[in-house]
Amino acid sequence: RNILGRGFIGVPIAITVESANILTRSLIVFGQGAIRCHPFVQEEMNAVGARDLVRFDRAFFSHIGFVFKNMARTFLLAVTGGALAPSPVGDFTAGYFKALTRYSAAFALITDIALATLGGGLKRREKISGRMADALAWMYIGSAALKRFHDEGRPARDRVVLDWSLQLALWKVQEALRGVIENLPNRAAAAFLCPLVFPLGAGRRPPSDKLGAQVAADLLDDKELRLHLTSDIFVPKTGEPGLGQLEEALDAVVATQDIRSKIRDAARIRRFGDLPRDKLADEAHAQGVITKDEYDRLAAAEALRDDAIQVDYFDPETYRGLKG
């Protein structure tokens, strides 16, 4: 009866068919993408293969110019906290756009330095390659969150979720890039990169506990927000095993929060003495703190919540029978 059990049962299937995520992270996302997506590296390699010196010189010197341009861009954006970067909007999300632009420039610069110092050995440096993949993935996630927010008309209801998402994404990008610099085998290259990428230090922090608590409360209490954010996920009918059962229990619990508040307020002033928690509702009803209808609604919600967390259990005789 464990609602989450099916997901755990299916994990080995995904690993067997698609391979473990660590392979994608450490070897494919950045290791292959650094060459395929770079504006000049593939052209340089093709020119070498074709023994075309003119073509190689054109790509190589363009590559050098690209590196120096990114050096200046990375440093200026880092020193100003991204203030010099353009933003397509002028609202509170502009700072997030600018920060992503700053880290994008730093990502490009670190990529070139890593390629120059490690060469073909970069793919074998799986921790470095994995951190670069992390930085790229979190920049992508942050960009996607901003795009969705603006595409949907910048709803005020989503602002807390957006703030939490972008603060987490930008902190993850910072930590991934910082990890690459701190672990580059060529320490001279690392010493060169650090003042360019983090001239004022790595100042970003993860979302605060207060913001996280607010997001959690909104997701639990605001059903419309939850359904909006999961609009592409199938939700079974109320009461069906699994997610349908969880949704039904959550709706019932949220709908009776005001009743629980009445009981808590009465318990706080010691109206019920030292009764255990499971007896408080009975005493609250007996003393008239809550009505019969409220008592019945609360009991129904508690029954749904209790049922949703149940798992199968077996007595010793069952196991003895299987063993025989």
Side-chain angles (χ1 to χ4, degrees), residues 131-132 134-135 138 171-181:
R131 289 188 182 99
M132 293 299 287
D134 290 343
W138 282 107
W171 176 68
K172 290 281 191 179
V173 174
Q174 170 192 273
E175 293 304 289
L177 296 180
R178 190 160 67 96
V180 172
I181 294 173

Side-chain angles (χ1 to χ4, degrees), residues 31 37 40 52 70 98 112 152-153 159 166 180 183 232 275 284 304 308 316:
C37 300
F40 303 109
D52 188 336
N70 264 330
K98 292 173 181 289
D112 274 317
E152 293 177 347
R159 175 164 181 173
L166 266 295
V180 172
N183 290 278
D232 294 324
L275 285 174
L304 287 171

